[in-house]
Amino acid sequence: MPQNEYIEQFRKRQGRRFDHEERVRKREARRAHKASEYAQKVHGLRAKLYNKKRFAEKATMKKTIAMHEEKSNKHKNEDAVQTGAVPAYLLDREQVSRAKVLSNTVKQKRKEKAGKWSVPIPKVAPVTEAEMFKVIKTGKREKKAWKRMITKATFVGEGFTRKPPKYERFIRPRSMRFKKAHVTHPELKCTFCLDILSVKKNPQSALYTSLGVITKGSVVEVNVSDLGLVTQSGKVVWGKYAQVTNNPENDGCINAVLLV
């Protein structure tokens, strides 16, 4: 059993405290007051950093609220039968009913925000740091050991330039960099060789995500413009997420399944 699942196992066997929900609710209620108290007390550079963080949070919250707002939609109501006589000036008018609808794009965005995708591989085995990184000794007598070479497959952007070797902490070997992935469409049952746009999420660590490390279970964004996928409004879908299903460092290629 992975080390991080003992808590879940204990909860399944023993359950939670009787007042757990109430404690969580009170903690959430206190959070706003604690944040307000901290904002009033903090000063100097910490205040600047805190205000910047709060500004970003509020902007994200406003965007989310605006995106999730339901819009009123007018559409023809052919089944509705009028009761009673209709005036002559209303005979030519089409009967319109209003409905609160959420567009498919908004639903898709909600899904992306929540991160709720039915992924082919829901759980992956953890990768140790010793397996992920190889320690590189530096210095005249090779006493310094602060550099790390990534031993897994990586993705870097189009205009990527390495840092000067003196200052580069994480080395991504050129032979282990990938630009394309073999992506299988689960409904079409076809495989396409598509360009990788970015590494969206590596389940092992946020550090590996920022470094662009691709391991089994990673979610990558691929360019699907060549497939001719369109939205309901007729716009061409440019990028879509896919989950890696193999170990790229062993196979020499990236195999993934498109998340639809």
Side-chain angles (χ1 to χ4, degrees):
M1 183 198 301
Q3 194 175 349
N4 58 348
E5 287 187 5
Y6 284 113
I7 297 170
E8 284 82 354
Q9 190 189 45
F10 179 83
R11 278 182 191 152
K12 280 177 188 172
R13 287 177 179 171
Q14 310 295 334
R16 295 179 184 270
R17 289 173 56 130
F18 292 119
D19 59 344
H20 171 72
E21 284 78 14
E22 186 65 15
R23 283 162 64 88
V24 169
R25 185 190 65 78
K26 285 183 177 177
R27 195 184 302 129
E28 284 296 317
R30 279 197 302 270
R31 187 185 287 179
H33 297 285
K34 292 272 183 189
S36 171
E37 191 181 341
Y38 179 76
Q40 288 172 32
K41 281 184 180 178
V42 74
H43 57 85
L45 184 61
R46 281 184 183 168
K48 278 187 181 178
L49 293 170
Y50 182 75
N51 289 332
K52 190 178 177 183
K53 190 180 103 178
R54 283 294 295 148
F55 181 80
E57 284 174 6
K58 284 178 183 175
T60 309
M61 189 170 63
K62 281 180 183 175
K63 278 183 190 173
T64 309
I65 290 167
M67 188 183 72
H68 290 205
E69 275 179 352
E70 294 179 333
K71 295 177 181 178
S72 61
N73 177 35
K74 291 181 183 178
H75 60 273
K76 223 186 282 185
N77 197 357
E78 293 168 359
D79 301 332
V81 179
Q82 285 283 348
T83 53
V86 180
Y89 62 87
L90 289 180
L91 285 172
D92 293 336
R93 286 193 190 176
E94 291 175 342
Q95 299 302 315
V96 173
S97 73
R98 289 174 177 273
K100 291 275 183 183
V101 294
L102 280 168
S103 67
N104 280 344
T105 51
V106 171
K107 284 178 186 172
Q108 184 90 340
K109 280 181 182 174
R110 272 190 181 182
K111 228 182 217 182
E112 284 175 19
K113 289 276 181 188
K116 289 174 184 172
W117 296 95
S118 53
V119 288
I121 305 170
K123 277 192 176 184
V124 289
V127 179
T128 60
E129 200 168 306
E131 189 187 342
M132 180 70 75
F133 299 121
K134 179 188 172 187
V135 178
I136 303 293
K137 301 272 186 175
T138 55
K140 191 176 178 181
R141 291 172 185 83
E142 294 191 350
K143 283 192 173 181
K144 297 172 184 174
W146 58 276
K147 285 194 176 191
R148 298 287 182 273
M149 184 185 281
I150 299 169
T151 58
K152 303 287 180 186
T154 55
F155 168 78
V156 293
E158 195 64 42
F160 172 73
T161 310
R162 279 182 64 181
K163 284 183 183 177
K166 190 178 177 181
Y167 304 110
E168 191 177 32
R169 174 160 163 71
F170 295 105
I171 301 163
R172 285 168 276 194
R174 197 178 183 84
S175 58
M176 295 295 284
R177 294 186 206 162
F178 287 82
K179 290 185 178 179
K180 289 185 179 286
H182 304 299
V183 181
T184 304
H185 197 294
E187 290 169 7
L188 299 175
K189 299 285 187 281
C190 295
T191 304
F192 307 93
C193 188
L194 304 174
D195 292 322
I196 300 171
L197 298 174
S198 66
V199 178
K200 176 71 178 173
K201 175 87 175 169
N202 190 314
Q204 304 293 344
S205 163
L207 171 66
Y208 302 156
T209 306
S210 61
L211 288 171
V213 179
I214 301 170
T215 54
K216 189 174 182 177
S218 300
V219 176
V220 294
E221 191 176 7
V222 290
N223 187 355
V224 292
S225 56
D226 296 338
L227 303 187
L229 300 175
V230 291
T231 60
Q232 290 209 333
S233 58
K235 290 179 181 175
V236 176
V237 178
W238 193 59
K240 230 168 172 22
Y241 296 134
Q243 190 182 31
V244 178
T245 55
N246 71 325
N247 293 309
E249 68 277 4
N250 296 343
D251 300 340
C253 65
I254 295 173
N255 299 334
V257 175
L258 204 67
L259 302 179
V260 289

